[in-house]
């Protein structure tokens, strides 16, 4: 280990990573049977509420995030049918894979009309976790918010 210096304070090295440190409200947690999903946030949510099977939050820049957990042996089928239902009335624009703290996230991008203008929507699923994460943002802001959205997805962890 480091030698002890007389008369000097130990150095503090910053290892906080990309996002700011987690304050009390700087993450959202979703418990489901067999585990827990934690999404680190770049700021305190403007709004956080419980929705059936999960949590919904609003971040600045009109970013809406919904986390839903699925219990039971048929969780995979339940997620697939929830995604199919979500796709109704939306155009699929592309797919990608993001590697995060806990393995792989499969991401699909959609657009859909909404009051106040078109929205871009991301549906995120994980091969090994019964969780569906939906993120939406005004379509014209998608390009400038892309990095933040990717960071949110990357900073999801499972326990």
């Amino acid at each position: 280990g480091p030698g002890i210096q007389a008369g000097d304070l130990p150095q503090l090295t910053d290892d906080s990573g990309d996002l700011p440190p987690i304050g009390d409200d700087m993450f959202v947690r979703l418990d489901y049977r067999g585990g827990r999903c934690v999404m680190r946030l770049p700021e305190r949510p403007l709004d956080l509420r419980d929705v059936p099977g999960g949590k919904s939050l609003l971040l600045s820049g009109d970013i809406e995030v919904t986390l839903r957990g699925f219990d039971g042996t048929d969780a995979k089928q339940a997620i697939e049918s929830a995604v199919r239902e979500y796709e109704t009335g939306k155009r699929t624009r592309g797919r990608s894979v993001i590697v995060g703290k806990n393995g792989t996230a499969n991401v699909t991008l959609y657009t859909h009309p909404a009051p106040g203008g078109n929205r871009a929507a991301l549906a995120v699923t994980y091969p090994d976790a019964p969780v569906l994460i939906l993120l939406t943002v005004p379509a014209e802001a998608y390009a400038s918010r892309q990095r933040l959205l990717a960071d949110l997805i990357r900073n999801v962890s499972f326990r």
Side-chain angles (χ1 to χ4, degrees):
I4 295 174
Q5 287 305 130
D8 276 335
L9 285 175
Q11 293 303 302
L12 184 65
T13 54
D14 176 38
D15 63 351
S16 57
D18 285 346
L19 289 181
I22 298 183
D24 289 345
D25 308 327
M26 303 289 279
F27 64 92
V28 58
R29 189 179 109 190
L30 180 69
D31 293 309
Y32 51 87
R33 193 183 307 149
R36 147 186 312 178
C37 167
V38 177
M39 176 185 268
R40 288 186 62 182
L41 301 173
E43 63 186 13
R44 291 199 158 75
L46 305 176
D47 187 38
L48 174 61
R49 60 186 59 186
D50 290 316
V51 294
K55 309 247 185 221
S56 173
L57 59 139
L58 182 65
L59 298 174
S60 58
D62 199 7
I63 296 173
E64 289 170 17
V65 184
T66 305
L67 297 91
R68 286 179 64 191
F70 294 80
D71 288 330
T73 48
D74 54 355
K76 251 192 170 51
Q77 284 83 355
I79 289 174
E80 282 169 18
S81 73
V83 169
R84 271 198 303 277
E85 192 181 311
Y86 187 69
E87 287 176 340
T88 309
K90 297 180 177 69
R91 279 182 61 194
T92 304
R93 307 302 289 264
R95 292 175 203 282
S96 70
V97 168
I98 288 186
V99 179
K101 293 189 178 247
N102 278 77
T104 309
N106 298 310
V107 183
T108 307
L109 170 66
Y110 309 94
T111 52
H112 64 97
N118 287 344
R119 289 189 76 83
L122 297 170
V124 185
T125 59
Y126 298 86
D128 302 320
V131 170
L132 170 63
I133 299 179
L134 305 170
L135 304 100
T136 84
V137 57
E140 73 272 12
Y142 178 73
S144 61
R145 303 255 188 279
Q146 224 168 331
R147 192 167 159 210
L148 171 62
L149 293 167
D151 276 351
L152 285 170
I153 294 166
R154 241 179 240 117
N155 280 284
V156 171
S157 56
F158 299 96
R159 316 247 157 95

